[in-house]
Amino acid sequence: MAQHSAGVVQGLCLSTFGVFITMLLLGSFAWFILGSFSTFSLGVHGISLQQGLLLAAIVSSTDAAAVFSVLRSSHIALKGKLQPLLELESSSNDPMAVLQTVSLLNYSTGGEASLLQGGSFLAIQLTIGVAAGYGAGRFMVWLLNRLGLSSAGLYAIASIALVLLTYAVATFMHGNGFLAVYVAGIVAGNRKVIHQHYINAFHDSFAWLMQIIMFLTLGMLSVPYRAELPALASVAVAISLFLMFVARPASVFISLFWAKVSFKEKLLVSWVGLRGSVPIVLATFPLAAGTDEAGEIFVLISFIVVMSVLIQGFSLAAFARWLGLAEKR
């Protein structure tokens, strides 16, 4: 029980403090590259520190679906408690990335705000989001088991409706809707629900469909001017390499300095930092808000996501085997 609790705490540290540290380090680097360097040598517009932090907040979370899709396709599993640790971290850090992105956008579009106001906003969002999500998860289980619908397919549709309702209620209560939906899914997923296997299969297929749509959206929106493309690509390569080799490892080692996790395990956790569908969605937020350099930030995010998938995705299985932390599935 104590070991299970320690694993939960480690995962939550990675998904909160780790994401925050990644944002600070990567945002500062992006501001330096685009604010100091690129305006003179690369010919692209510079960005402020706040915009650099916004860019970093968008790509600060890892993608659980991408990570474990790579592992499944390689027919390997991770030894020890690495698998549940990474599952918890990569599936629970999205709300933190969303909170950081929304908070920075609020600062950008809403004038000046104090650090105390920003902290209270995050605290309220987290508290109400968790509370609303827990209550919604219990309500989902109770309602689905008592609806008495005539077809199993209707339960899948009802579950989608309840997810949308959870997001709407949490947002109306000034909580974080993404976090509420995530907590509700954990609560409902760990209890018996009628036609549970069918509902899980439906949501798994629906999630894949949404990811395909998001990557298509990424392709359609990422249309930089031909003259800017080489400059933006070179900046994105520098930011991506810094994220993979400096920001992500530093956040992992700082977040887990207290934990009984071996050096090799920390190295693997550092490399399991694939960026996927969530940054694509978050990258549209600055575009919708009409912030300065939103188009430039979106194109940079596009390059960063693609580089993460190509470099970390293709090398993940080999790196795990090299460290001796992989076993055949």
Side-chain angles (χ1 to χ4, degrees), residues 114-137:
S114 68
L115 184 62
L116 180 61
Q117 288 174 323
S120 63
F121 171 77
L122 288 175
I124 291 171
Q125 288 263 303
L126 287 169
T127 303
I128 296 178
V130 171
Y134 180 79

Side-chain angles (χ1 to χ4, degrees), residues 84-315:
L85 172 63
L86 290 171
E87 285 179 350
L88 176 60
E89 186 251 342
S90 57
S91 60
S92 63
N93 56 16
D94 292 339
M96 185 65 179
V98 173
L99 283 172
Q100 291 178 162
T101 302
V102 172
S103 299
L104 288 167
L105 278 176
N106 285 341
Y107 285 129
S108 299
T109 58
E112 296 184 357
S114 68
L115 184 62
L116 180 61
Q117 288 174 323
S120 63
F121 171 77
L122 288 175
I124 291 171
Q125 288 263 303
L126 287 169
T127 303
I128 296 178
V130 171
Y134 180 79
R138 297 297 297 267
F139 176 72
M140 284 181 188
V141 175
W142 177 86
L143 183 63
L144 290 173
N145 286 333
R146 287 165 176 79
L147 277 177
L149 299 175
S150 58
S151 172
L154 294 175
Y155 284 91
I157 296 174
S159 67
I160 292 291
L162 289 171
V163 166
L164 296 175
L165 179 63
T166 300
Y167 182 90
V169 170
T171 304
F172 180 76
M173 296 170 62
H174 302 289
N176 184 264
F178 294 96
L179 180 60
V181 169
Y182 175 74
V183 172
I186 292 178
V187 173
N190 284 281
R191 287 168 171 79
K192 289 185 178 181
V193 180
I194 187 171
H195 300 300
Q196 188 168 26
H197 178 73
Y198 181 86
I199 294 174
N200 289 341
F202 172 82
H203 279 275
D204 186 51
S205 302
F206 194 70
W208 277 106
L209 176 62
M210 291 299 102
Q211 289 193 74
I212 292 170
I213 292 174
M214 282 186 284
F215 274 99
L216 287 174
T217 303
L218 171 68
M220 289 186 291
L221 292 176
S222 297
V223 189
Y225 293 109
R226 188 174 301 177
E228 292 182 348
L229 186 58
L232 287 173
S234 59
V235 172
V237 169
I239 294 174
S240 299
L241 293 177
F242 184 86
L243 172 61
M244 288 185 277
F245 292 102
V246 180
R248 169 69 178 178
S251 68
V252 170
F253 278 83
I254 293 173
S255 300
L256 297 180
F257 78 94
W258 56 273
K260 294 181 179 180
V261 180
S262 69
F263 180 77
K264 286 186 176 181
E265 290 174 331
K266 289 179 182 177
L267 276 181
L268 184 59
V269 173
S270 300
W271 195 243
V272 182
L274 276 74
R275 269 61 192 174
S277 57
V278 172
I280 297 171
V281 176
L282 295 182
T284 63
F285 286 18
L287 287 173
T291 59
D292 295 335
E293 312 301 342
E296 190 172 275
I297 290 174
F298 188 91
V299 175
L300 289 172
I301 297 297
S302 306
F303 277 109
I304 292 170
V305 170
V306 172
M307 281 199 64
S308 175
V309 173
L310 291 177
I311 297 177
Q312 293 176 298
F314 281 102
S315 63

